[in-house]
Amino acid sequence: METQTGQAKLPGYLDAHLPPSWYWPDVTINAPTATFDPLPRPLNILGIGDGPIPSIILGLNMPLQSVAQACGGRYEVRYEVDFDRNPISDEELNQADIIFMQRVCTEQGTDLVRRINTLKIPLVYLLDDDFSLLPPDSPLGKRYLEMGAWENILSNCGKADLVMSWSPILLEKLRAHAKDTRQLHALANVEIFDSFPAPPPRKGTGLRFGFGGGLAHEADLLMILPAILTFLDRNPDSVFETVGAKLSILEGHPQYRHFPGSIDIRAYYKSVWDRDWDFVVAPLEDKPVNNAKTDNKFRESAAAGLPGIFVKAAPYLAAVEDGVTGLLVGYEPSEWLGAMERLAADKNLRASIAKNAKEVAYKTYSRQAIDREYKQVILDLVPDTMVLGVTATSLSSSAHLHWPLQCLGDARAIRYRHVLERDLKNSDLDWANTLVVFGKNGKATERLILAAKARGIKIIYVPLSQNDLFNRSQIIAASKDVDLVVLPTVTSQMEALANSVALEEIPFLPALKMSGGAKPNRSPLKIGVIGGTYDYPEFVENVLQAIAEEHRAIGIEVDAPNPSMLDRIRDLKTLKYDSKSLTFEQAVVDAGWSITICLDKGDRAVLLDPRQHWLCSLSQSVGIHFDQSVSAQSVIQGDTGFICAPNSKALEKTLVALIEDKTLVDRIAELAFERVGGHHAMQLTIQAWEVAIARLKGTK
């Protein structure tokens, strides 16, 4: 992302609103650098506006530039009008730490919001006008109506993490459709006015007063036309001027002057500054759409050090202190005439109002004041920890490992991205400040760790292979290249490592949707078998066949039966589920087994943590584990499960004891469920990862 200096193009649906005289081909923002404390890390900030119009420059370009500069990061502003020829890719979106979107209201923009949600990037939606109140027969109103602008806006508000507006009335209207809302002040750029040299010398001694704004404000000016004409008639040496907006009816009047406006904010401000007005007028028509306008004219006049007269409408009632920072008047021309004559006659009042308004501009509307508001939004929404999880295996086989990090990402506690080692890009490492390496893949993993260390990235290593997991010397060796080792809570022998390496023990519980505490239906009793990927031992087949013949009411279900089992065991069922929509673990929980035989066995073991025990416990099923298994080391015999020798006699004895005593099944299942955390088990795992990451952040 680079500082935005690109070609400006007006949105087609604004052509009738902002004529070519408002348009400069290049929009270049040269803003003073903010002086607030820097953010915790450099950020990539993306702004997306409908087009390079003044409100977008004020709401996105200027504040995002200075915030990015202050944190040593980068920013870019893209425009909705360019989507067809210059679309924004997911890869580009993924580089952003936060996205600010303003006035985007087309279907294309709504689709972009959906993509941002899918990528879990913090999104702020900013709106500065109530488009639902535009006259439907006006050119702009018709265009917004045709595109379904208001419906798209409400949809975007519902998907954004935060909705912001400069107007309290508009914000209140959007609150019912938003997750969270915040009012912020709009920028006045007092610093830009302060950078200008003194205005050119004035000709004549009469008063100058004026109005600056877009052509759409001509109707507002017509509202006070009688007051303007009367004042000019009573003060023949005075002049009324407009910048941008034009009072066509006054063309040719000897006391009226018009100057073109500009879409370039600095050029527009310079035009206003050079007019050296004694005071400004800021009327608004009395219609609903104007209630959601902002205090724009007060901000600008205050920043320029000009006293002003403002209509008693919502945008100004909260901003202007009558007689102190401006004059507030009603809609009647007579009130406007009285205010004009009051300011014209009292030079000291003009000076006092100008001074007080300028102080308000510095305090509330300056670059530094607005930048602090944007900074706070970023601090509230952007996690300072960017975690990149890398595995050498398929995503599905390691899902139980990285799902807690995904949960933390969903909760905005961290930003999380998970990729396969073969798909890893340099941009992924550039994005991250924390790397979680799930397992080792020889030289490839070594190169990954070296690349991360060269970038100053904190590294967490999670052993996955049996050699890594149970070999103390290998874990110690691996810890020298990383900042923290995270181990599954497997056996007490791991406790001895605590004095040798920086480690955390975390229960890698499977991501499950719990049933709300309801006990599985024990009638008829069902037996399940899991872990048969590497074939079932013959003694297991023999025992299951005997149980099926002797206890005909019992159902038996296995996850991957040998072909011979289907022929030998009566009414044998296979655990079936759609792997695209359901994990294996969830399928086991939903199966409602009362007893689960776990075939994690010695040299055939493919499980590197006691997840079979956790799975049995969380599904409120009594697990039977063979004494050489990893899970057996986490089981309290007869309390949270059963451990038996890997032979027919031991397995059959255990099964018969459980089949004949359903009370025993209930007791063990309940105790095991509570021991692993019950319905809080998932949260305990997430919290354990939070502790690990917090510990890592404290290391040097």
Side-chain angles (χ1 to χ4, degrees), residues 115 189 207 210 345 354 491 503:
R115 288 164 52 204
N189 279 306
L207 283 167
T491 67
L503 63 82

Side-chain angles (χ1 to χ4, degrees), residues 305-513:
L306 300 175
I309 305 171
F310 307 92
V311 67
K312 287 182 178 178
Y316 299 117
L317 285 172
V320 179
E321 186 177 355
D322 189 26
V324 179
T325 58
L327 297 184
L328 288 169
V329 297
Y331 292 94
E332 291 300 320
S334 60
E335 295 185 57
W336 284 86
L337 178 60
M340 292 175 191
E341 292 183 333
R342 181 183 175 189
L343 285 181
D346 194 338
K347 185 176 181 179
N348 290 334
L349 178 60
R350 296 201 304 270
S352 173
I353 288 176
K355 177 179 178 294
N356 294 335
K358 186 84 172 184
E359 290 176 355
V360 171
Y362 276 122
K363 180 180 179 181
T364 308
Y365 304 110
S366 66
R367 290 298 303 272
Q368 293 185 18
I370 302 307
D371 291 344
R372 278 191 287 269
E373 292 188 6
Y374 276 74
K375 177 194 174 185
Q376 190 58 54
V377 169
I378 292 171
L379 287 173
D380 292 343
L381 293 182
V382 179
D384 60 4
T385 305
M386 316 293 285
V387 180
L388 175 66
V390 180
T391 56
T393 57
S394 67
L395 297 181
S396 59
S397 64
S398 59
H400 72 290
L401 298 172
H402 62 81
W403 77 264
L405 295 173
Q406 289 177 323
C407 292
L408 288 173
D410 291 343
R412 298 286 192 264
I414 63 172
R415 283 287 305 282
Y416 183 62
R417 183 183 299 180
H418 184 252
V419 298
L420 294 179
E421 198 168 66
R422 66 170 182 264
D423 298 328
L424 185 68
K425 301 175 182 177
N426 283 329
S427 59
D428 292 319
L429 289 173
D430 293 339
W431 171 86
N433 57 24
T434 303
L435 172 68
V436 180
V437 181
F438 294 103
K440 296 180 69 176
N441 187 25
K443 296 294 182 182
T445 304
E446 291 178 11
R447 289 193 296 270
L448 169 61
I449 291 175
L450 287 174
K453 290 178 70 174
R455 288 171 166 83
I457 297 172
K458 298 287 187 179
I459 305 170
I460 297 176
Y461 169 53
V462 183
L464 292 188
S465 72
Q466 289 221 51
N467 288 336
D468 286 346
L469 189 60
F470 293 110
N471 189 314
R472 184 175 183 273
S473 62
Q474 287 192 23
I475 292 178
I476 294 175
S479 71
K480 295 177 181 178
D481 295 322
V482 301
D483 298 283
L484 185 67
V485 176
V486 166
L487 295 173
T489 52
V490 181
T491 67
S492 58
Q493 66 182 356
M494 293 299 175
E495 296 175 5
L497 285 171
N499 296 325
S500 304
V501 302
L503 63 82
E504 292 284 345
E505 294 189 8
I506 292 178
F508 290 128
L509 298 171
L512 301 174
K513 295 178 181 177

